[in-house]
Amino acid sequence: EDQVTQSPEALRLQEGESSSLNCSYTVSGLRGLFWYRQDPGKGPEFLFTLYSAGEEKEKERLKATLTKKESFLHITAPKPEDSATYLCAVQASSNTGKLIFGQGTTLQVKP
Amino acid sequence: DADVTQTPRNRITKTGKRIMLECSQTKGHDRMYWYRQDPGLGLRLIYYSFDVKDINKGEISDGYSVSRQAQAKFSLSLESAIPNQTALYFCATSGAVTDTQYFGPGTRLTVL
């Protein structure tokens, strides 16, 4: 069964304190792994897509990496505006179009 | 203007009532999806459609139905709402090439 597990469930950081969020996945052939950001009461906002192990993508203070079993979202010198829930999702090659989501990591960055 | 819009944004209804949630998109995508989000359970797929004539059940389709009126419009109906259908509902779209899904702002539904 395709499955996605994110850890930790919640993370509190001081402004400037770098850290990483983890997304472990089990999927029957990975077509793509997606990271989204979700603010309270809003829809998920697309951040990155990773397709193969070793791939990395960056956007401002965020960097996503991918291995055969997990993905990391590294946050460098976070700011309070980075506070949000970060969602990871996988798409199996056998189910094109369908995303399996993890439960998310809620990040709070204190000034 | 937003690429993916949902109406209504908030709705309170009573048990047994029929309710329709609507989604429209201007991205030109063929594929559209309906998800629900519950605290602790994440986003779960209800129905998806790859084109106007293609409708597929997701993992939690019981109690729901959908209609794809046009390439740009995909509606979700609750024929007889029940309290455990209280949740946040999101519509999403994707193009066939990239598969990246883009989400609407959501509808907060409360069934009393």
Side-chain angles (χ1 to χ4, degrees), chain B residues 27-38:
Chain B
K27 298 184 75 70
H29 287 165
D30 288 327
R31 301 178 177 190
M32 299 187 73
Y33 311 81
W34 275 105
Y35 291 88
R36 68 175 278 176
Q37 187 175 40
D38 300 273

Side-chain angles (χ1 to χ4, degrees), chain A residues 53-111:
Chain A
E55 189 174 1
E56 300 182 351
K57 288 192 177 175
E58 289 189 64
K59 180 180 180 180
E60 297 180 354
R61 294 177 292 282
L62 301 177
K63 179 180 177 180
T65 62
L66 180 65
T67 73
K68 290 185 177 180
K69 294 184 178 181
E70 57 191 350
S71 177
F72 291 94
L73 185 64
H74 307 278
I75 304 177
T76 302
K79 298 181 178 181
E81 53 262 41
D82 294 322
S83 298
T85 296
Y86 292 86
L87 302 173
C88 172
V90 298
Q91 188 177 77
S93 55
S94 59
N95 288 301
T96 302
K98 293 168 65 176
L99 292 179
I100 306 298
F101 279 87
Q103 294 184 12
T105 293
T106 299
L107 173 66
Q108 183 180 31
V109 182
K110 295 186 175 182

Side-chain angles (χ1 to χ4, degrees), chain A residues 31 36 38 43 91 96-97 103, chain B residues 33 37 40 50 90 99 101 104:
Chain A
R31 180 177 174 89
Y36 288 85
Q38 186 176 24
Q91 188 177 77
T96 302
Q103 294 184 12
Chain B
Y33 311 81
Q37 187 175 40
F50 283 178
F90 292 101
D99 290 330
Q101 294 185 20

